[in-house]
Amino acid sequence: MKILIIGGGGREHAIAWKISGSPKVDKIYCAPGNAGIAELAECVDMNVMDFDAQVAFAREKEIDLTIIGPDDPLVAGAVDAFEAAGLRVFGPRKSAALLEGSKSFSKDLMKKYGIPTAAYEVFDSPETALSYLKTAKMPIVLKADGLALGKGVLICNTRKEAEKGVKSLMLDKQFGSAGDRIVVEEFMTGREVSVLSFVDGKIVKIMTSAQDHKRAKDGDQGLNTGGMGTFSPSPFYTEEVDKFCKQYIYQATVDAMKAEGREFKGIIFFGLMLTENGPRVLEYNARFGDPETQVVLPRMKNDIVEVFEACIDGTLDQIDLQFEDNAAVCVVLASEGYPEKYEKGYPITGLEAFKGQDSYFAFHAGSKLEGSKTVVTNGGRVLGVTAVGRDLKEARKNAYEAAEWVSFENKYMRRDIGKGIDETG
Ligand code: AMP
Ligand code: GLY
């Protein structure tokens, strides 16, 4: 088979790596890819939003299956464009990707179908939002309705902060039209868990759990980032939690989408908060998580191409999804200064140590090939070093060891990914 992957981050590198292990696959293309993906796939310089170019390429190269990685193209209808051209593609159509593309849509869906989530109100005008805030309980959470690069959520401790937040989202348009409408939500406390799942329109199969560290600094301090590291499984995702979510959240979401005429095929990423009143949905994503994928796929036993095909064909019931009884930790190596100002273009050394390893991975995100040999930094999050181990403690030790194999100017990482999580830690 010939496969095309759309995207160019650490998530897509992990997907490309997993696909490369499938005996069904002869050739992988990735658009646009990155320097790490280029070791496994032929990278093609195409914009992730240029569906015409992608479809033309897929036709010309006789691609058998295309995987859409990021949220933006999914929400904008990438899958519909491929399907309209009669091409096989993995991911939700535009109508179903709305599960991630609109927070008010997903909140209304959960309310209508009784799926546990935080209480909320939706506002289309800053005046009504501000008047609601006068009597609302603090802290409170404001969310831009549309996609905002994962940054459209504001946790406000005081009324003043919340008023400022409404102004910046709705009047100053900090995230453009994503803030034309906002969701104002009850603040919840508890452990967060990420659960990725495969969905074939009718049924859902859950992958192993993971958790990411979103803040830039140790001890979950500093600014929010795209993710500084992950671990899998989450010890907080107990059998009891799993049972509750299977009963009230996972299949209920897939059924709700079907009932709304928005049959979902692809990945649903359930962002959960384990509150003292039980698990609640924080958010849905309609795609693999980044950097959750970098710890989940190295633990997956199945041929992922078979699972993708089962989702498209509606035969996921025939797949026995299995994960290794081990653990994985991913430590993101970032450019000092991220998520604010940072410099790019520094040579990265030490990557050859990962060649031929099956327990250590360097999943590239912001990297680029300069000339034919030199890999240089090209983003805030440069790469994610993943290692597996028998348990979290061993995986963490291995990941931090391997993180030292890699050098580049201004390299920065958190030192506490997965630390203090399990009793052995
Ligand atoms: P989201 O993009 O909706 O996942 O929100 C980003 C982050 O904001 C989440 O991972 C949580 O840490 C936090 N968050 C979102 N909604 C709430 C909430 N209702 N209560 C507390 N924290 C929240
Ligand atoms: N790691 C969170 C996300 O992919 O949205």
Side-chain angles (χ1 to χ4, degrees):
M1 284 175 78
K2 291 188 208 163
I3 310 259
L4 170 63
I5 302 168
I6 304 297
R11 163 183 54 206
E12 285 78 20
H13 191 178
I15 295 170
W17 166 77
K18 187 67 183 156
I19 288 175
S20 72
S22 167
K24 290 170 172 271
V25 173
D26 310 301
K27 171 95 185 165
I28 309 173
Y29 296 92
C30 188
N34 63 36
I37 296 175
E39 307 245 311
L40 303 165
E42 187 175 326
C43 293
V44 195
D45 190 18
M46 277 189 297
N47 190 292
V48 296
M49 299 302 279
D50 189 350
F51 308 152
D52 288 343
Q54 293 163 18
V55 164
F57 180 85
R59 278 211 171 116
E60 184 203 322
K61 297 289 183 191
E62 299 179 326
I63 300 293
D64 299 294
L65 174 63
T66 298
I67 319 294
I68 316 284
D71 44 355
D72 288 311
L74 287 168
V75 169
V79 166
D80 309 60
F82 276 80
E83 283 184 349
L87 294 163
R88 240 165 119 72
V89 57
F90 176 80
R93 292 180 185 148
K94 184 176 180 174
S95 61
L98 201 62
L99 193 59
E100 171 165 9
S102 166
K103 301 247 190 226
S104 60
F105 167 79
S106 70
K107 294 295 291 188
D108 290 348
L109 185 89
M110 288 187 262
K111 189 177 188 177
K112 181 168 172 188
Y113 292 91
I115 298 166
T117 188
Y120 73 104
E121 298 286 337
V122 178
F123 296 100
D124 288 302
S125 93
E127 292 77 27
T128 44
L130 288 170
S131 119
Y132 173 81
L133 286 177
K134 285 202 175 96
T135 53
K137 197 167 152 243
M138 298 296 135
I140 203 157
V141 184
L142 311 183
K143 300 185 173 186
D145 186 54
L147 293 182
L149 300 167
K151 294 179 189 132
V153 174
L154 308 177
I155 313 257
C156 307
N157 288 310
T158 64
R159 230 168 282 284
K160 226 183 175 138
E161 263 177 66
E163 285 165 6
K164 233 176 94 192
V166 167
K167 287 187 183 121
S168 94
L169 292 174
M170 302 191 89
L171 292 169
D172 305 340
K173 303 276 180 206
Q174 193 188 353
F175 300 106
S177 60
D180 287 350
R181 168 178 290 176
I182 63 167
V183 170
V184 177
E185 192 174 282
E186 166 202 4
F187 175 76
M188 302 188 287
T189 51
R191 285 276 174 184
E192 283 185 45
V193 183
S194 302
V195 177
L196 310 187
S197 70
F198 290 100
V199 182
D200 73 348
K202 302 186 295 275
I203 68 155
V204 51
K205 294 241 165 148
I206 298 304
M207 296 182 230
T208 182
S209 61
Q211 189 178 322
D212 82 349
H213 294 268
K214 288 204 169 91
R215 301 294 196 97
K217 302 253 159 70
D218 284 15
D220 292 326
Q221 303 294 312
L223 292 172
N224 253 325
T225 71
M228 293 302 293
T230 36
F231 58 90
S232 170
S234 163
F236 305 105
Y237 192 80
T238 58
E239 263 173 46
E240 190 191 349
V241 170
D242 184 60
K243 196 167 156 224
F244 181 95
C245 296
K246 283 188 171 135
Q247 191 168 355
Y248 297 108
I249 295 176
Y250 303 142
Q251 189 61 41
T253 301
V254 176
D255 292 344
M257 290 299 279
K258 194 154 177 267
E260 292 293 309
R262 296 173 185 273
E263 188 174 88
F264 194 105
K265 289 186 177 194
I267 303 293
I268 298 183
F269 165 158
F270 297 88
L272 304 173
M273 174 87 84
L274 309 181
T275 74
E276 59 178 20
N277 299 318
R280 300 282 181 269
V281 177
L282 272 176
E283 65 159 349
Y284 294 115
N285 295 311
R287 50 165 174 86
F288 280 104
D290 193 342
E292 282 86 348
T293 306
Q294 290 89 311
V295 285
V296 168
L297 292 190
R299 302 187 51 226
M300 182 174 158
K301 290 186 183 176
N302 304 67
D303 178 341
I304 198 167
V305 177
E306 273 176 17
V307 187
F308 287 149
E309 297 212 280
C311 290
I312 297 171
D313 296 336
T315 55
L316 193 55
D317 58 330
Q318 287 165 33
I319 298 280
D320 179 18
L321 202 57
Q322 289 198 0
F323 288 82
E324 304 281 356
D325 183 21
N326 61 5
V329 168
C330 172
V331 178
V332 169
L333 308 187
S335 305
E336 180 83 55
Y338 171 78
E340 295 182 289
K341 265 175 79 155
Y342 54 86
E343 288 166 19
K344 305 194 275 197
Y346 294 115
I348 307 171
T349 57
L351 293 170
E352 58 290 342
F354 292 87
K355 290 227 169 82
Q357 298 276 4
D358 55 10
S359 307
Y360 299 89
F361 310 87
F363 291 125
H364 292 226
S367 76
K368 153 175 119 173
L369 208 54
E370 208 169 70
S372 62
K373 284 210 184 72
T374 315
V375 179
V376 299
T377 63
N378 192 39
R381 290 189 298 167
V382 176
L383 48 89
V385 169
T386 295
V388 296
R390 274 167 304 186
D391 51 25
L392 276 179
K393 188 177 176 190
E394 190 181 271
R396 189 173 65 245
K397 180 173 152 285
N398 293 348
Y400 276 105
E401 250 172 50
E404 298 299 338
W405 302 348
V406 183
S407 303
F408 55 86
E409 193 104 358
N410 291 349
K411 171 179 145 188
Y412 170 77
M413 66 180 131
R414 272 183 62 163
R415 297 279 168 187
D416 63 344
I417 304 300
K419 197 168 174 193
I421 300 296
D422 52 350
E423 60 279 24
T424 56

